[in-house]
Amino acid sequence: MIGRTNAVSKPGVELSLVVSVTSGAAVTATKGSKTVNGTAAGGSCVLSLPEAGTWSVKATLNGQTSDTKSVSVVDSYAVALTFFSATITVNVDSGASVTLKKGGTTIATKTSNGTAVFTVTETGAYTVTATKNGQTTSGSVNVVSSTTSYSLTLSFVSSTLNNNEWSVIKSVSDAGQGANYWSIGDRKAVTLNGTVGKLSLSNVTTYAFIIGFNHNASVEGANRIHFQLAKTALSGGTDVCFCDNQYGPDSGWSSPGAGYFVMNASNTNSGGWKSSQMRTNICGTSLSSYSGTIIAVIPAALRAVLKSVTKYTDNTANGGGSTASYVTATTDYFFLLSEFEVFGSISYGNTNEKNKQAQYAYYSAGNSKIKYKHNGTSTAALWWLRSPGASASSSFVVVYTDGTVNYYIAHYSLGFAPGFCV
């Protein structure tokens, strides 16, 4: 801001330039080869200029340079200079040591009391690192304006999977570091609310468990932690699959129709996994339209970090045998596991599925394949796999009650044990 004073330039009388600036700042005015210096006191500095004309004015304080003003002096003038100042607020655990750096140079280090607040004096990319109890977490802030307040939330990663928010689990997954913190089989609580298919769930807490880190990444996508539902407890407990009130593998049983945990409402596997009602109506294929699917009943925090995964399956089937071209890709958020992903071999599905699949580490490690009804944990249940039977037009592969592989008619309602990725 520049404003003219009432002083008048007279022969032999120097012109005054009043600079409003932080006390202690060194003020410099230059015009060509002429330089006038002064030091601000009481919030201003008065410079006596030897001649009229256009003067360039700036100030420095503690290694920082203010903005520069150009003043055309014909009488005495006043000008205000400002130093760049922006605030970065770091939200992080109390007691953490927080360091702010720019270009590898440490700006400041503070101890958090829930937040650590830094003032920066120039634009640019800043890195924030927090350490506590041997753990380190970091993030970055790009400062572009002194009129903006910047904030950054940092979270430490717990080696106990269940102690981490889903957002933290995602950040570790994004960095491809999951296996450095957790192990295959580790569990995370998931509370389910709502209706999936015909099954209503109200505040049902179950536990997702890790079945693979960066599983089959070259095909399915990198930086993903693969989970499956579900176990009944954080440790020990029972492996379960979800069963609706029409669960029934008996040979004389009839189809309950769409919406139940059937692969298809009719006795067919035509269209394979891709076209199955289990995929479209129960697992869901969209993060924007998912009413009635498993995506609708998971917590919002988990829904927000779901990652799509590319799965290959026989998507033609209809008794076509092991035809290589039938094995194609789908993009899924929740999915059923395939025969090869569970067993590491193929007995009933299209044998070409294995060319695009890998057995999950959880199952290759020898963990039990037997699952029990979620609403009757003393009863072992058959649970669906997404692989269509290759030699028949009516079946999909299942895991039998004794943990062996088998196949069942597509319109039976069996156990639902989906996977997902974060």
Side-chain angles (χ1 to χ4, degrees):
M1 177 177 178
I2 304 171
R4 175 153 42 183
T5 70
N6 291 325
V8 178
S9 179
K10 298 179 180 179
V13 177
E14 292 182 321
L15 303 173
S16 294
L17 178 62
V18 180
V19 182
S20 299
V21 69
T22 306
S23 295
V27 183
T28 301
T30 57
K31 176 178 178 287
S33 61
K34 295 182 174 60
T35 300
V36 179
N37 298 303
T39 301
S44 67
C45 176
V46 180
L47 299 179
S48 295
L49 304 180
E51 63 185 38
T54 300
W55 291 80
S56 180
V57 188
K58 64 181 180 180
T60 58
L61 179 65
N62 298 328
Q64 185 184 4
T65 302
S66 72
D67 55 342
T68 300
K69 297 288 178 65
S70 182
V71 183
S72 295
V73 178
V74 292
D75 292 333
S76 292
Y77 270 73
V79 63
L81 299 177
T82 57
F83 290 98
F84 184 96
S85 179
T87 299
I88 300 174
T89 300
V90 182
N91 304 296
V92 68
D93 290 358
S94 293
S97 176
V98 187
T99 299
L100 179 72
K101 291 185 177 183
K102 183 172 189 270
T105 300
T106 298
I107 307 300
T109 298
K110 298 187 176 184
T111 300
S112 170
N113 61 0
T115 62
V117 181
F118 298 92
T119 300
V120 297
T121 59
E122 59 186 9
T123 60
Y126 291 83
T127 300
V128 183
T129 302
T131 57
K132 184 180 179 181
N133 298 331
Q135 291 194 55
T136 299
T137 181
S138 62
S140 59
V141 177
N142 188 30
V143 175
V144 297
S145 169
S146 63
T147 60
T148 303
S149 294
Y150 299 86
S151 65
L152 177 68
T153 298
L154 298 178
S155 299
F156 291 101
V157 181
S158 171
S159 59
T160 301
L161 179 68
N162 194 54
N163 291 345
N164 297 283
E165 299 294 333
W166 282 111
S167 58
V168 174
I169 296 171
K170 178 183 180 297
S171 68
V172 174
S173 177
D174 288 347
Q177 297 296 309
N180 292 334
Y181 290 96
W182 309 303
S183 300
I184 297 296
D186 282 0
R187 309 176 191 186
K188 169 70 175 169
V190 179
T191 299
L192 305 176
N193 273 293
T195 300
V196 51
K198 302 291 186 180
L199 178 65
S200 293
L201 300 164
S202 179
N203 289 320
V204 174
T205 297
T206 189
Y207 295 85
F209 58 99
I210 295 174
I211 55 175
F213 294 107
N214 289 323
H215 170 84
N216 200 19
S218 63
V219 173
E220 300 187 17
N223 298 336
R224 283 161 171 77
I225 300 174
H226 292 238
F227 291 84
Q228 189 178 16
L229 292 174
K231 293 177 182 283
T232 60
L234 188 56
S235 63
T238 304
D239 284 39
V240 296
C241 53
F242 294 95
C243 299
D244 57 41
N245 63 11
Q246 293 296 307
Y247 175 87
D250 296 335
S251 60
W253 185 80
S254 60
S255 171
Y260 291 95
F261 293 155
V262 300
M263 291 303 293
N264 283 311
S266 59
N267 187 13
T268 182
N269 63 16
S270 179
W273 163 247
K274 183 176 182 178
S275 300
S276 68
Q277 86 94 35
M278 174 63 77
R279 177 174 180 264
T280 57
N281 295 348
I282 303 300
C283 288
T285 58
S286 169
L287 293 184
S288 59
S289 178
Y290 46 75
S291 177
T293 73
I294 186 67
I295 298 172
V297 305
I298 60 174
L302 172 53
R303 190 181 306 120
V305 299
L306 286 177
K307 293 179 180 176
S308 64
V309 59
T310 301
K311 287 292 185 182
Y312 278 82
T313 321
D314 184 333
N315 289 316
T316 302
N318 203 28
S322 289
T323 303
S325 61
Y326 285 5
V327 179
T328 57
T330 54
T331 298
D332 296 290
Y333 294 97
F334 273 84
F335 51 89
L336 298 189
L337 276 59
S338 72
E339 181 180 0
F340 192 78
E341 288 171 343
V342 173
F343 291 96
S345 61
I346 295 178
S347 299
Y348 297 105
N350 185 325
T351 57
N352 288 285
E353 286 191 353
K354 68 180 183 293
N355 298 329
K356 290 288 190 175
Q357 297 175 357
Q359 187 180 22
Y360 274 108
Y362 178 84
Y363 291 106
S364 66
N367 287 295
S368 176
K369 301 172 181 67
I370 300 172
K371 300 189 187 298
Y372 295 80
K373 296 177 70 175
H374 83 283
N375 51 4
T377 55
S378 62
T379 302
L382 290 85
W383 52 285
W384 282 120
L385 301 178
R386 73 175 188 273
S387 301
S391 61
S393 61
S394 60
S395 65
F396 282 80
V397 182
V398 301
V399 180
Y400 206 67
T401 54
D402 61 0
T404 59
V405 65
N406 211 315
Y407 64 94
Y408 250 81
I409 302 302
H411 66 199
Y412 282 9
S413 179
L414 303 180
F416 174 55
F420 64 91
C421 292
V422 170

